[in-house]
Amino acid sequence: MSKQEWIDIAVEALGKAYVPYSKFPVGACLVTKEGKTYQGINIENASYGLTNCAERTAIFKAVSEGEKAFSHLVVAGHTPEPISPCGACRQVMAEFCDPAMPVTLVGDNGVTKEMTVEELLPYTFTDKDL
């Protein structure tokens, strides 16, 4: 699959997001090193602290199925500029993804920005800090 196909999967996920409170859908597409894709959506809860972001949904789905080697993550939102992942998602990315792994951020009208996990979360807290 191409990067554009991964972007399409993340954008398509926007329509599946469960966002009755914020009305702010986010979609994600996580790609394994073998090319398998995992789609994620944000899932809200009336108890806001129990809400889960699209990035974490995709990562947790993949890890729950035994995947641990990832090559790319795409995150899409209805934002004028490329969407920015929250801090919790950045920390989860740092736990499960190589620091050099590319992350493509997508906003409305196809505007994109590509960064690495390390660029999204420099000076990361990892298992080496325990």
Side-chain angles (χ1 to χ4, degrees):
M1 290 184 117
S2 69
K3 187 189 325 183
Q4 185 57 54
E5 289 172 299
W6 301 335
I7 290 171
D8 292 344
I9 290 169
V11 170
E12 187 245 345
L14 292 168
K16 298 177 183 177
Y18 179 75
V19 291
Y21 309 107
S22 73
K23 310 289 192 252
F24 187 80
V26 180
C29 176
L30 178 65
V31 184
T32 68
K33 292 204 177 195
E34 291 77 35
K36 188 172 181 180
T37 60
Y38 287 87
Q39 191 177 59
I41 59 169
N42 54 327
I43 303 167
E44 294 181 345
N45 190 287
S47 174
Y48 296 124
L50 299 179
T51 294
N52 200 58
C53 298
E55 303 93 304
R56 286 183 281 148
T57 298
I59 292 169
F60 295 163
K61 279 172 65 173
V63 171
S64 74
E65 293 187 21
E67 301 286 355
K68 299 245 173 66
F70 307 111
S71 65
H72 203 105
L73 176 64
V74 177
V75 185
H78 289 306
T79 53
E81 297 297 319
I83 193 164
S84 179
C86 75
C89 287
R90 292 172 192 226
Q91 183 62 44
V92 170
M93 287 179 217
E95 179 72 23
F96 292 103
C97 305
D98 185 276
M101 186 185 89
V103 179
T104 301
L105 307 172
V106 183
D108 278 337
N109 301 316
V111 61
T112 65
K113 180 173 187 152
E114 189 165 305
M115 304 181 77
T116 65
V117 171
E118 185 172 35
E119 288 171 328
L120 285 167
L121 187 62
Y123 196 57
T124 306
F125 181 84
T126 68
D127 59 342
K128 293 167 189 63
D129 296 305
L130 299 175

